[in-house]
Amino acid sequence: MAITINTPADIEGMRLAGRLGAEVLDYITPFVKPGVTTGELDRLCHEYMTNVQGTIPAPLNYCPPGYTPYPKAICTSVNDVICHGIPGDKVLKSGDVVNLDITVIKDGYHGDNSRMFFVGEPSILAKRLSEVTYECMWLGISKVKPGAHLGDIGHVIQQHAEKAGYSVVREFCGHGIGKVFHEEPQVLHYGRPGTLDELKPGMIFTIEPMINAGRREIREMGDGWTIKTKDRSLSAQWEHTVLVTETGYEVLTMSAGTPPPPAIVAAQAAQAVPA
Ligand code: MF3
Ligand code: CO
Ligand code: CO
């Protein structure tokens, strides 16, 4: 199966879904405080999506081959949880770091994004890991343009993470997205420049690096979903949904509260301009 080239109408639908997905993260931000449970964050997001936005939470009952249906509306991945943490009774405490991953469906289109949140004051390590992971995502995004290859994205992410002494999770990747939650291509967060599929205008996919402070190996929990680091080191993740345009990229999961691109990406763009 080939990679979907979205029509102008599809792109409009994906812009709306993307913005709404980002606005759920804006909405939930002030609630991420010591004492709140991950289940309460899920309940609040679920209500906001269904009652305020008129969106559908894509994770709820999502059931890829070999999985059991996902039981909640969002993913809450705390500390050494890499991804797919299931919201529940867990009480967040000062010093925890949590990734909230939101995917909404609006008019049949999916908007998928995630951010890291610090509960109270983060450790120096947690802060740096989150920052480096954010830079990894944006360095990957900055590679997106027609004629570039998926391997260019993976390479720049891997280089940046490993230079900082961190490791890249291999078992999960970014993905094509549109009317389907997960479709071709797989967007690996490691690799070699010039390899894999060539990017073409109209493609839409996520970039969502999972970076571990320690070793890259994973451990699957008994609930059928939660993935943790094998060595119990901290893990961070950021995610955007990105469109390949005629000249570069457009980030679709943008809202008023979206953090700005990191300085490292602005600096790189400035360097690329001939003096
Ligand atoms: N939102 C996740 C992603 O970025 C997928 C979560 S699948 C779920 O691809 F079922 F766990 F929600
Ligand atoms: Co996601
Ligand atoms: Co995704």
Side-chain angles (χ1 to χ4, degrees):
M1 265 291 286
I3 302 172
T4 302
I5 301 296
N6 290 272
T7 66
D10 291 332
I11 291 168
E12 271 313 306
M14 288 296 287
R15 280 195 184 106
L16 177 57
R19 178 169 61 77
L20 291 166
E23 285 175 355
V24 179
L25 287 169
D26 292 357
Y27 161 75
I28 201 64
T29 299
F31 295 100
V32 186
K33 289 223 172 84
V36 77
T37 64
T38 53
E40 177 69 0
L41 297 175
D42 176 77
R43 190 187 67 75
L44 288 163
C45 288
H46 194 172
E47 280 199 4
Y48 186 76
M49 288 185 246
T50 53
N51 298 338
V52 178
Q53 293 188 322
T55 59
I56 299 166
L60 189 60
N61 296 316
Y62 185 59
C63 194
Y67 281 77
T68 53
Y70 189 78
K72 295 287 179 178
I74 73 171
C75 297
T76 54
S77 300
V78 183
N79 297 339
D80 63 339
V81 178
I82 296 170
C83 63
H84 303 165
I86 301 174
D89 295 337
K90 186 177 180 63
V91 179
L92 297 180
K93 61 178 192 310
S94 185
D96 284 342
V97 282
V98 58
N99 173 278
L100 301 184
D101 192 335
I102 307 285
T103 312
V104 304
I105 307 173
K106 181 70 170 181
D107 303 330
Y109 294 101
H110 292 72
D112 185 6
N113 66 164
S114 80
R115 298 180 195 160
M116 295 300 294
F117 296 84
F118 302 131
V119 184
E121 270 307 299
S123 68
I124 289 167
L125 169 64
K127 198 158 171 264
R128 181 162 170 270
L129 177 66
S130 176
E131 277 171 12
V132 168
T133 304
Y134 189 62
E135 291 170 347
C136 284
M137 176 186 69
W138 266 104
L139 286 168
I141 291 170
S142 71
K143 290 290 169 194
V144 174
K145 64 174 181 196
H149 290 257
L150 285 174
D152 303 347
I153 299 170
H155 180 69
V156 73
I157 291 171
Q158 183 181 11
Q159 285 278 110
H160 192 64
E162 291 180 356
K163 192 178 64 186
Y166 301 146
S167 63
V168 177
V169 171
R170 309 294 170 107
E171 289 84 353
F172 300 91
C173 55
H175 49 94
I177 183 167
K179 288 179 182 146
V180 174
F181 192 174
H182 294 100
E183 62 182 20
E184 280 186 59
Q186 295 196 46
V187 181
L188 305 181
H189 302 115
Y190 60 92
R192 305 304 314 166
T195 63
L196 305 174
D197 289 285
E198 186 180 323
L199 306 187
K200 301 203 161 61
M203 291 180 178
I204 298 178
F205 50 80
T206 70
I207 299 179
E208 50 178 300
M210 282 144 274
I211 307 297
N212 296 348
R215 296 175 57 85
R216 67 177 174 83
E217 285 79 11
I218 70 166
R219 195 155 61 95
E220 299 176 24
M221 297 297 104
D223 62 16
W225 281 97
T226 305
I227 305 293
K228 290 189 179 184
T229 57
K230 192 170 181 188
D231 66 4
R232 294 176 159 75
S233 65
L234 283 184
S235 187
Q237 178 177 31
W238 288 82
E239 174 175 28
H240 269 313
T241 298
V242 181
L243 164 71
V244 185
T245 65
E246 296 294 332
T247 54
Y249 63 82
E250 178 181 331
V251 176
L252 300 177
T253 33
M254 287 292 224
S255 62
T258 301
I264 190 172
V265 166
Q268 219 193 30
Q271 249 180 12
V273 177

